Amino acid sequence: MKKTLLYLAIYVISITTAFASLQYHQKSPAHRENGWYRIIDGAKDSISSQPIVTAKDFVWLRIEKDFFGNSVISGSVSKHKLQAWTDSTEQLIGKRMGFVFNDSVITAPQVNMRIESGAFQINGLDDYGMEVLYRKLLNEKKDSLDALFKTNGWNIDSLFFNSLNKEKQDSTINMLDYNEACSLIKGFSGNKSMNAHGQH
């Protein structure tokens, strides 16, 4: 039953977005981090200043075909951001949320139900445009992870990663959760600090 409701929710959002996206390719006057935002109807700058989730919180991105045969990007939010996503979709029932990329709203579907799964779809561009956006989102996630690891002194085996074919590279990036990586580094740093104190 839950699975059926999830498919129904995505279907309804897809139908709504097919019409709404034509109206929402607007440019934000202020810089926004790439991600999902509340859309405030009637405001001069209709995009909320704070994101619900950002692109680095996405997991398992993939290109699929929607019910109309158009290319869409499907994905989920990190389990660490799932509560924020669930609460926000509940609060936004009957209202819009927008996916912002490079300070432009790509799509702004109306939310019709609370989405507990964290699933989402991005559409509003042609097939080529969706492929380009998909690549840019994966690269952004990889860059965020690279920066996180390097900042904390972790070495990255870039030679090994670059030796993988594109499909395996995509799978590796998709498998990694930025928020999990933050927790892992924090835990590792904490243990290292405790061990150092224990040696004195």
Side-chain angles (χ1 to χ4, degrees):
M1 182 65 177
K2 277 191 173 182
K3 197 169 184 180
T4 302
L5 286 174
L6 170 60
Y7 288 144
L8 178 61
I10 292 178
Y11 175 66
V12 172
I13 286 176
S14 295
I15 292 176
T16 307
T17 305
F19 299 99
S21 60
L22 296 175
Q23 307 170 20
Y24 275 91
H25 281 263
Q26 64 180 59
K27 193 80 173 175
S28 170
H31 175 66
R32 300 289 196 283
E33 190 172 356
N34 296 333
W36 285 98
Y37 289 76
R38 299 165 186 256
I39 298 296
I40 307 166
D41 289 330
K44 185 175 181 181
D45 183 2
S46 65
I47 309 167
S48 172
S49 60
Q50 296 298 317
I52 299 170
V53 292
T54 62
K56 64 174 174 280
D57 300 317
F58 296 169
V59 292
W60 299 116
L61 292 173
R62 57 202 179 277
I63 292 277
E64 295 181 325
K65 294 290 185 181
D66 66 9
F67 296 96
F68 306 104
N70 301 314
S71 292
V72 297
I73 297 173
S74 296
S76 299
V77 302
S78 163
K79 65 181 182 180
H80 297 274
K81 299 292 183 176
L82 186 57
Q83 192 61 54
W85 176 265
T86 301
D87 291 344
S88 293
T89 54
E90 182 175 34
Q91 294 163 8
L92 288 170
I93 291 174
K95 301 177 182 178
R96 298 191 184 281
M97 62 190 300
F99 175 69
V100 174
F101 186 80
N102 286 348
D103 295 323
S104 292
V105 180
I106 303 300
T107 185
Q110 178 175 301
V111 180
N112 295 295
M113 65 184 294
R114 171 185 170 97
I115 304 176
E116 299 179 353
S117 66
F120 62 81
Q121 280 190 348
I122 301 168
N123 63 8
L125 302 173
D126 60 22
D127 288 357
Y128 175 76
M130 295 310 297
E131 179 65 34
V132 170
L133 178 58
Y134 171 73
R135 286 278 141 221
K136 288 183 176 180
L137 288 173
L138 283 186
N139 287 337
E140 179 176 340
K141 185 176 179 183
K142 181 180 180 298
D143 290 345
S144 296
L145 288 164
D146 285 349
L148 175 66
F149 292 141
K150 287 178 181 177
T151 299
N152 288 275
W154 288 38
N155 293 320
I156 301 169
D157 192 346
S158 56
L159 289 176
F160 171 74
F161 181 81
N162 291 332
S163 71
L164 301 175
N165 61 38
K166 183 179 288 188
E167 185 178 344
K168 288 184 178 179
Q169 287 184 0
D170 291 353
S171 178
T172 301
I173 296 169
N174 263 322
M175 180 179 65
L176 295 172
D177 183 324
Y178 181 85
N179 296 279
E180 287 283 355
C182 289
S183 298
L184 176 66
I185 289 175
K186 186 176 180 180
F188 182 82
S189 299
N191 289 336
K192 192 174 181 181
S193 178
M194 288 177 64
N195 290 337
H197 284 304
Q199 291 174 0
H200 289 299

